[in-house]
Amino acid sequence: MATLKILRMDHISIIATELSLRPQQVASTISLLDEGATVPFISRYRKERTGSLDDMAVTTIRDRSQQLRDLDKRREAILKSIKEQEKLTPELEKAILSAETMTKLEDLYLPYKPKRKTKASIAREKGLEPLATEIVKQHEIDPEQAARAFVDEEKEVHNVEDALQGARDIIAEQINENADIRSKLRDLFKREGVISSKLIKGKEQEAAKYKDYFDWQEPISKIPSHRLLAIRRGEKEMFLLVDISPDEDGAINAIEQEMIRANNKAADQVKIAVKDAYKRLLKPSIETEIRLDSKKGADVDAIGVFAENLKQLLMAAPLGEKNLMAIDPGFRTGCKVVCLDRQANLQEFAAVFPNEPQKDVYGSGETIKHLIEKHRIEAIAIGNGTAGRETEQFIKSLGLPATVMVAMVNESGASVYSASEVAREEFPNEDVTVRGAVSIGRRLMDPLAELVKIDPKSIGVGQYQHDVDQNALRQSLDDVVMNCVNAVGVELNTASRQLLTYVSGLGPQLAENIVKHREENGPFKSRAALKKVARLGDKAYEQAAGFLRIRNGKNELDQSAVHPERYKTVEQMASDLGCEVRDLMSRSDMRNRIELKNYVSEEVGLPTLKDILDELDKPGRDPRDKYEVFSFADGVNDMSDLKTGMELPGIVTNITKFGAFVDVGVHQDGLVHISHLSDSFVSDPAAVVKLQQKVKVTVTEVDPARKRISLSMKSDPFGKTLQKSKKPRQERSRNRPDADGDLQAKLAMLKGKFGK
């Protein structure tokens, strides 16, 4: 298969063209990946070889290269199969070798693919293929007269109609296996196909949450990803009947244009076969393809939303090292209180009952004050779940020193962590409530270090994450976590096993070995000491070292992102200036004297040298923002406290394709529909707001029965100019935005865009 090797070489050209990159950039990146380099390592430490490609570009090259390799693997298997059947012609081989997609490959292979017994195969066994061949030519013959010669009781061809039916079955299968027809019909489905959903009778009450889709139709080419996934979920739960197809007459006519070449009795038989082929074979087959294709597109959208949300959450501003009190609030079971030191180690825990039904405000207050004084608490983290706002009010009523900061913390996933194996390993002697409170506190200190311990799907920032391709989702989220962890850097002597797992080049086993080595031998004094860790070889060290930090180590550069392979370059810079490395890290006047061009070599170029200079300026700098305290509105603790028209501070907790969810402190996030995110037209919510962003919102509707809160970020959320129109109020009220972005939401969006 020498030709296939040539095709594999062509992968570089294909990817370079698709991504508008130079072939050398793609070739070098693929080479580095094949050598075992990670995406973070390549984008950070091999800029000269890739032309300074960022992690997104490297990831795209990795994934596309794998797709092309999978395509070649399937191509090779198909060629082998057809060759073994002794049916591989030069023309077919050329077509297979030039096929650019898996769909085209499978279309070409379909006639040669081993099949179960079909109507056509049974007809062939009865000897009816010559009749089918004669009819499909559409010459001036009498099909019935021709069919009489094939009537044979022994072969169970009892009469002329049996013979004609068998011939039509063979023709129908030929139509179904025609690659050109399948391609034409596939394009028709994509271009003109309509997805429709209907309620399964008798399930009105059970399917109430899908009521928008009880009788829904929309072009498959235009349906938003979130709506497609919602409809598919309704079908999966057996509440909806779903169909995707173009106009049937139009589809059949498209096939006839390819098959019908005359106007006679033979052509009439072919027309019957065409209708049968479409309804029985092509329509179900192409619909399945379109379902998979549209689902894949929706998955890409949903996974992209989830990945971006996760990235923003992981890169949220950390409070940093503080003596901290964390509270997991509750009513009947009380509030679990934990005290953590600056390294996030558990010092003490207690339970207080300041809320209903016990309402022990005085005793709880005394306990809190005592713990604050004893552990020199600098900040208090309160979970935003049940009783969160009530507990916050209680804490603020204690008259604590102004130096003690109080912050609400999103506790999504804390209960998942508290019951996990990771939590049991960390706190084998504590119950789930203590573990949950510790997680809340650590999230405030360092969101990234704590959230890596939790399955991203449990953090609450996705969009239909349980409906998408789980393998693709896992790969994407792993990429996000790895890129975030390595962008921030990891303190080698304090990092958890879970955090170390995501460091470039390590993984679970080496992370465990590092922690074990640390426990047995004490803190690492240098990056070089990593080489003493069991099974951590030169390749792993190369990939990991630059992302690991050692504070107060033997070598000042160990606290920076300068890779050990470039220490000699920095030392040469210091030597040339007649100073120490520490002087370069502390004195800007010395750094300003460095002439980078003097240190360019075959291995080290200006991109790496500029990175080194940036690191010397701010060794080990954290790319995350500084933490800012946020407070909800006083007196607004429950949905019952909300009133239409209220203006409230909120914090963005989730971003979807149809809008953003905002926490306003009432235990139920409200939705700012895409049509209410801005005074101007918005096509992508992520372009307007970011996760954890602090925003001002107006309450436009409260629906306690369905636990829905509608919010707006528009300067004129109620469209006062619209209210001056002559439309009845009842008609205007029907145009409220809806969480699923239905027709009413679209009308509201258009009103917001065009005003009067």
Side-chain angles (χ1 to χ4, degrees):
M1 295 291 177
T3 316
L4 285 180
K5 292 180 181 178
I6 295 172
L7 282 173
R8 291 192 181 101
M9 292 295 291
D10 199 42
H11 292 179
I12 294 167
S13 176
I14 292 171
I15 297 171
T17 300
E18 291 176 348
L19 302 182
S20 299
L21 298 173
R22 288 181 285 107
Q24 184 57 43
Q25 289 178 286
V26 177
S28 295
T29 301
I30 293 175
S31 177
L32 286 164
L33 290 164
D34 288 345
E35 291 166 10
T38 66
V39 171
F41 178 81
I42 294 170
S43 60
R44 180 67 176 80
Y45 295 114
R46 292 295 180 264
K47 292 182 177 180
E48 285 77 14
R49 288 185 61 179
T50 69
S52 298
L53 294 180
D54 61 18
D55 54 6
M56 184 175 295
V58 175
T59 299
T60 304
I61 291 172
R62 180 200 66 189
D63 294 345
R64 185 65 176 123
S65 175
Q66 187 58 52
Q67 287 176 356
L68 291 171
R69 287 172 175 177
D70 290 343
L71 184 66
D72 278 352
K73 188 176 180 181
R74 181 59 178 158
R75 193 193 317 272
E76 199 167 341
I78 287 173
L79 285 169
K80 182 180 178 182
S81 174
I82 300 176
K83 192 172 183 180
E84 289 174 349
Q85 298 175 46
E86 298 182 352
K87 296 179 180 179
L88 186 62
T89 65
E91 294 77 18
L92 179 57
E93 182 178 26
K94 183 179 179 181
I96 290 172
L97 289 172
S98 61
E100 296 178 349
T101 66
M102 197 71 79
T103 300
K104 181 64 175 175
L105 265 183
E106 296 300 339
D107 278 354
L108 292 168
Y109 183 47
L110 189 58
Y112 309 95
K113 197 172 185 178
K115 305 177 183 69
R116 298 176 183 176
K117 186 169 284 192
T118 64
K119 287 186 175 182
S121 66
I122 293 171
R124 288 190 181 95
E125 290 172 0
K126 294 179 179 180
L128 295 172
E129 190 158 22
L131 178 60
T133 301
E134 192 62 31
I135 290 174
V136 85
K137 291 177 182 177
Q138 300 171 51
H139 293 163
E140 290 294 338
I141 64 166
D142 184 342
E144 293 188 1
Q145 183 66 35
R148 288 193 179 96
F150 293 88
V151 175
D152 187 334
E153 288 292 341
E154 290 185 5
K155 293 182 179 180
E156 298 185 357
V157 183
H158 304 295
N159 50 47
V160 166
E161 182 51 38
D162 281 352
L164 290 174
Q165 181 61 59
R168 291 195 299 266
D169 288 340
I170 293 171
I171 296 170
E173 186 170 273
Q174 291 172 348
I175 294 170
N176 179 55
E177 294 177 349
N178 184 300
D180 291 336
I181 289 175
R182 292 184 70 87
S183 178
K184 186 175 183 179
L185 202 58
R186 189 179 292 114
D187 289 342
L188 182 68
F189 267 72
K190 290 178 180 178
R191 189 175 63 253
E192 300 181 16
V194 172
I195 181 170
S196 60
S197 62
K198 292 187 179 297
L199 173 72
I200 295 177
K201 290 183 179 179
K203 297 196 173 184
E204 289 83 358
Q205 292 185 340
E206 295 175 80
K209 64 182 178 180
Y210 298 108
K211 69 176 185 178
D212 294 331
Y213 309 118
F214 284 1
D215 188 12
W216 184 270
Q217 284 192 345
E218 186 171 6
I220 190 65
S221 62
K222 296 181 179 180
I223 188 168
S225 60
H226 64 270
R227 188 144 61 233
L228 177 68
L229 292 172
I231 289 173
R232 286 181 62 98
R233 183 188 290 178
E235 180 184 37
K236 185 177 180 181
E237 294 177 2
M238 301 184 72
F239 295 135
L240 302 175
L241 291 173
V242 179
D243 178 78
I244 303 175
S245 60
D247 174 70
E248 184 176 288
D249 290 341
I252 291 172
N253 182 58
I255 303 171
E256 287 183 347
Q257 288 177 10
E258 297 292 322
M259 292 298 301
I260 304 303
R261 297 185 293 276
N263 183 18
N264 54 33
K265 291 183 178 180
D268 291 341
Q269 291 293 318
V270 176
K271 287 181 180 180
I272 297 172
V274 165
K275 289 182 180 179
D276 177 48
Y278 176 73
K279 293 182 179 181
R280 180 169 59 87
L281 301 173
L282 281 165
K283 198 268 182 182
S285 174
I286 301 297
E287 181 183 2
T288 298
E289 285 187 27
I290 298 302
R291 279 171 170 263
L292 292 173
D293 190 55
S294 59
K295 168 67 163 48
K296 189 178 293 184
D299 284 359
V300 169
D301 270 359
I303 291 172
V305 168
F306 197 162
E308 181 57 31
N309 284 349
L310 179 62
K311 177 182 177 180
Q312 293 179 25
L313 190 62
L314 293 176
M315 297 297 282
L319 178 63
E321 295 181 353
K322 302 282 185 184
N323 290 321
L324 189 138
M325 173 181 287
I327 304 175
D328 187 358
F331 286 114
R332 183 181 57 81
T333 57
C335 301
K336 188 65 70 173
V337 181
V338 300
C339 296
L340 309 176
D341 65 16
R342 286 172 171 265
Q343 285 70 49
N345 298 312
L346 177 62
Q347 302 297 298
E348 186 175 352
F349 62 87
V352 296
F353 300 86
N355 303 312
E356 299 290 353
Q358 294 90 340
K359 202 69 176 175
D360 180 17
V361 176
Y362 177 78
S364 299
E366 290 301 302
T367 299
I368 295 293
K369 291 176 183 177
H370 168 70
L371 291 173
I372 288 174
E373 184 177 355
K374 178 180 178 181
H375 296 284
R376 299 179 181 179
I377 296 300
E378 301 167 87
I380 300 175
I382 303 171
N384 70 339
T386 303
R389 292 304 309 283
E390 292 80 2
T391 302
E392 180 193 31
Q393 285 187 328
F394 157 69
I395 291 295
K396 288 184 175 179
S397 72
L398 296 178
L400 302 177
T403 53
V404 179
M405 184 195 80
V406 179
M408 296 292 289
V409 176
N410 190 328
E411 62 178 50
S412 294
S415 60
V416 174
Y417 161 79
S418 64
S420 69
E421 183 179 345
V422 174
R424 289 194 294 273
E425 287 178 8
E426 288 192 286
F427 303 104
N429 300 319
E430 317 304 345
D431 66 22
V432 292
T433 59
V434 172
R435 298 171 189 161
V438 170
S439 182
I440 290 169
R442 287 177 170 176
R443 283 190 196 194
L444 182 60
M445 281 186 174
D446 190 339
L448 177 61
E450 190 61 21
L451 290 173
V452 294
K453 302 174 185 176
I454 304 170
D455 181 348
K457 288 186 291 185
S458 301
I459 298 176
V461 294
Q463 174 187 332
Y464 296 100
Q465 61 262 38
H466 299 290
D467 299 304
V468 302
D469 182 317
Q470 295 301 295
N471 289 330
L473 177 63
R474 189 178 305 109
Q475 175 70 68
S476 178
L477 300 186
D478 282 348
D479 286 342
V480 169
V481 177
M482 175 173 276
N483 288 335
C484 288
V485 168
N486 290 285
V488 172
V490 172
E491 175 57 42
L492 180 58
N493 286 320
T494 58
S496 67
R497 174 173 57 83
Q498 291 74 31
L499 191 58
L500 287 167
T501 294
Y502 287 101
V503 171
S504 167
L506 295 185
Q509 187 57 61
L510 287 179
E512 187 173 326
N513 292 352
I514 288 173
V515 172
K516 186 177 180 181
H517 186 278
R518 198 170 63 194
E519 292 171 348
E520 294 175 352
N521 301 281
F524 289 91
K525 298 294 192 298
S526 69
R527 282 170 167 167
L530 274 167
K531 295 180 179 179
K532 297 179 181 179
V533 173
R535 301 178 65 182
L536 200 155
D538 291 342
K539 189 66 179 180
Y541 178 77
E542 176 194 58
Q543 298 293 307
F547 302 105
L548 297 168
R549 311 277 186 266
I550 300 177
R551 275 184 250 168
N552 305 315
K554 291 180 179 178
N555 191 323
E556 295 92 338
L557 293 174
D558 282 351
Q559 65 180 302
S560 75
V562 176
H563 197 283
E565 66 187 6
R566 301 294 170 238
Y567 282 7
K568 288 184 178 180
T569 302
V570 180
E571 290 164 1
Q572 186 62 52
M573 291 175 176
S575 176
D576 292 346
L577 292 173
C579 67
E580 300 293 330
V581 170
R582 70 172 65 92
D583 297 323
L584 293 181
M585 300 173 76
S586 61
R587 294 176 54 183
S588 60
D589 62 316
M590 299 300 291
R591 291 192 299 274
N592 292 338
R593 291 169 56 191
I594 298 173
E595 291 285 347
L596 293 183
K597 63 182 181 180
N598 295 337
Y599 304 96
V600 173
S601 66
E602 290 185 4
E603 293 184 353
V604 185
L606 284 176
T608 293
L609 291 170
K610 288 177 181 178
D611 284 347
I612 289 174
L613 206 58
D614 288 342
E615 277 301 312
L616 294 176
D617 180 29
K618 295 179 180 178
R621 66 188 181 282
D622 193 324
R624 295 173 290 182
D625 292 334
K626 297 296 183 183
Y627 185 84
E628 294 180 5
V629 180
F630 172 81
S631 297
F632 292 112
D634 291 334
V636 181
N637 305 324
D638 192 84
M639 281 186 71
S640 60
D641 297 325
L642 296 177
K643 300 289 185 289
T644 300
M646 272 186 173
E647 291 188 2
L648 300 168
I651 190 162
V652 178
T653 58
N654 197 7
I655 302 171
T656 69
K657 286 293 185 181
F658 53 80
F661 288 91
V662 176
D663 183 2
V664 292
V666 296
H667 312 305
Q668 179 67 46
D669 290 352
L671 174 70
V672 181
H673 188 266
I674 189 171
S675 60
H676 275 259
L677 278 171
S678 172
D679 289 339
S680 56
F681 175 75
V682 174
S683 60
D684 181 11
V688 181
V689 292
K690 301 298 181 186
L691 216 63
Q692 302 295 301
Q693 182 177 332
K694 299 161 183 64
V695 295
K696 281 282 187 182
V697 294
T698 301
V699 180
T700 58
E701 185 179 2
V702 182
D703 186 348
R706 295 205 295 173
K707 292 186 177 181
R708 285 189 177 181
I709 304 167
S710 296
L711 305 170
S712 177
M713 289 171 55
K714 296 174 71 171
S715 58
D716 184 16
F718 297 101
K720 294 175 183 177
T721 55
L722 290 175
Q723 291 184 16
K724 293 178 183 178
S725 70
K726 296 181 180 181
K727 289 184 179 180
R729 173 176 291 275
Q730 185 177 5
E731 181 182 347
R732 291 198 306 272
S733 68
R734 285 200 299 268
N735 294 331
R736 295 189 301 265
D738 174 85
D740 284 323
D742 59 10
L743 180 59
Q744 286 74 27
K746 290 182 179 179
L747 290 171
M749 181 179 70
L750 291 173
K751 288 180 181 179
K753 180 180 179 183
F754 297 115
K756 293 182 181 181

